[in-house]
Amino acid sequence: MPLRPLRLGDLFDGAFRIIRRNAGATVGAAVLVASLAMLLPLVVAAVGTFGGWGLTDAVLEDGVTDDELGSFGAVFGTLLLGTALQGVGLVLVGGMTAQVTAAAVAGRRMTLAQAWAATRGRRWRLLGLTATIGLLVALPVAAYAGPLLGLVLLDVGWLWPLAWGVLGFGALVVALCWLWIRLAYFSMPSLMLEVPRVFGAIGRGRRLTRGAFWRIFGIALLTNLAALVGSQIVSTPISVLAELVPLVTGPDYAMLTLVMGQAAGSIVAAAFATPFLSVVAALQYVDQRIRTEAYDVVLMEQAGLIEP
């Protein structure tokens, strides 16, 4: 990585270089975590398909028994649980990726085991940070949804709920964008690389983004849009194929192929999006420290380019 303020092209090019040179600790970690999380719904769907749980009847018939409905709920309940576990695991992968990025900027590579070891002592704090950010995000959402629901329940007509819905939604978007960049965006790399406390990391991220909101926001938004489009491109063919497979195998395997398609699509999307988003965010964090704290000098010392 060039040890100077980074342009957009430098960030994207550097992200792909880091991912390629540390594939095991980035893509490999994301695939491993996503696959383990999706193992439970796959096993439940397979047992239900081959164990006579009546999943085919639950899908194809209008009138289903309580047992068939319970089987259907068990499969999709475990699918939701697997998705939640996948999200938790990918948070930890993001923390590992921050360590990989910091090492790569200093000219070092990391294996999967080294990246995991580098997060020791901060994993639970990383999950706590994620929960704290979630609570902070929930506050403006509740402030928007609560009055809207109250206006609907009070039956004051359609004008006031419509006005609050439109104007309040605009304010909600502004508040969420502010929270995302000012409090959340740099908090993970700050926690993993600098400040070992949850609220200290949030405060550190807020200080780093001071005076640079629009540049950081623009790059972050473009990065997320690119990751979203890329994930859809790689996962959509898998989902479509999973929907077409029952036409060949018959309806007996419809539920299993549906779960397999959802699992495979989420794994492929996680393998593409999670490393890319995490590395770009970590690079922006490094870039902001270079711009504001002459961090490039520290990196040159770590890389052995200059004497301490």
Side-chain angles (χ1 to χ4, degrees):
M1 289 296 301
L3 298 182
R4 54 168 172 74
L6 303 175
R7 300 184 296 269
L8 178 63
D10 297 324
L11 291 168
F12 282 12
D13 181 63
F16 285 118
R17 287 175 181 269
I18 291 172
I19 292 171
R20 185 172 65 251
R21 291 175 178 271
N22 301 271
T26 54
V27 177
V31 170
L32 178 62
V33 166
S35 300
L36 290 176
M38 288 293 110
L39 189 60
L40 177 61
L42 283 174
V43 170
V44 172
V47 171
T49 298
F50 298 107
W53 286 10
L55 291 178
T56 302
D57 296 333
V59 174
L60 298 179
E61 296 180 3
D62 293 332
V64 296
T65 65
D66 292 340
D67 291 340
E68 292 168 348
L69 187 61
S71 301
F72 188 79
V75 172
F76 276 92
T78 54
L79 185 60
L80 291 175
L81 177 60
T83 302
L85 292 175
Q86 188 181 93
V88 173
L90 292 178
V91 169
L92 297 176
V93 172
M96 295 167 57
T97 305
Q99 296 286 356
V100 170
T101 303
V105 172
R108 303 190 307 272
R109 297 185 183 185
M110 269 192 173
T111 64
L112 175 59
Q114 290 171 335
W116 176 249
T119 64
R120 184 180 294 116
R122 307 198 182 203
R123 296 165 194 156
W124 286 109
R125 291 172 183 172
L126 180 57
L127 296 179
L129 173 65
T130 304
T132 302
I133 295 297
L135 291 175
L136 290 175
V137 170
L139 292 177
V141 173
Y144 168 71
L148 181 61
L149 180 61
L151 289 172
V152 172
L153 294 178
L154 290 174
D155 193 20
V156 295
W158 61 270
L159 182 59
W160 285 107
L162 177 63
W164 176 259
V166 174
L167 298 177
F169 183 75
L172 175 64
V173 171
V174 172
L176 291 178
C177 289
W178 186 89
L179 284 171
W180 176 34
I181 299 301
R182 293 285 281 141
L183 300 184
Y185 196 61
F186 285 160
S187 59
M188 178 187 288
S190 296
L191 179 71
M192 301 310 296
L193 303 176
E194 283 190 274
V195 186
R197 293 290 184 271
V198 170
F199 290 103
I202 294 175
R204 173 64 167 153
R206 182 179 59 83
R207 289 190 296 273
L208 281 174
T209 57
R210 185 180 296 129
F213 177 88
W214 290 109
R215 176 172 52 81
I216 297 171
F217 173 73
I219 295 174
L221 181 61
L222 182 60
T223 303
N224 277 265
L225 290 175
L228 176 63
V229 172
S231 298
Q232 291 300 315
I233 290 175
V234 298
S235 63
T236 297
I238 298 175
S239 300
V240 172
L241 181 62
E243 294 178 2
L244 295 178
V245 167
L247 299 178
V248 179
T249 62
D252 291 340
Y253 303 98
M255 180 61 69
L256 178 59
T257 55
L258 175 63
V259 174
M260 290 177 62
Q262 291 292 326
S266 67
I267 292 170
V268 172
F272 175 82
T274 300
F276 180 64
L277 290 173
S278 300
V279 172
V280 171
L283 286 176
Q284 282 190 270
Y285 161 82
V286 171
D287 173 61
Q288 192 60 19
R289 291 192 64 185
I290 290 175
R291 293 172 183 268
T292 59
E293 301 172 351
Y295 188 52
D296 50 333
V297 177
V298 177
L299 294 173
M300 289 178 186
E301 292 178 355
Q302 293 178 358
L305 299 178
I306 61 176
E307 293 293 332

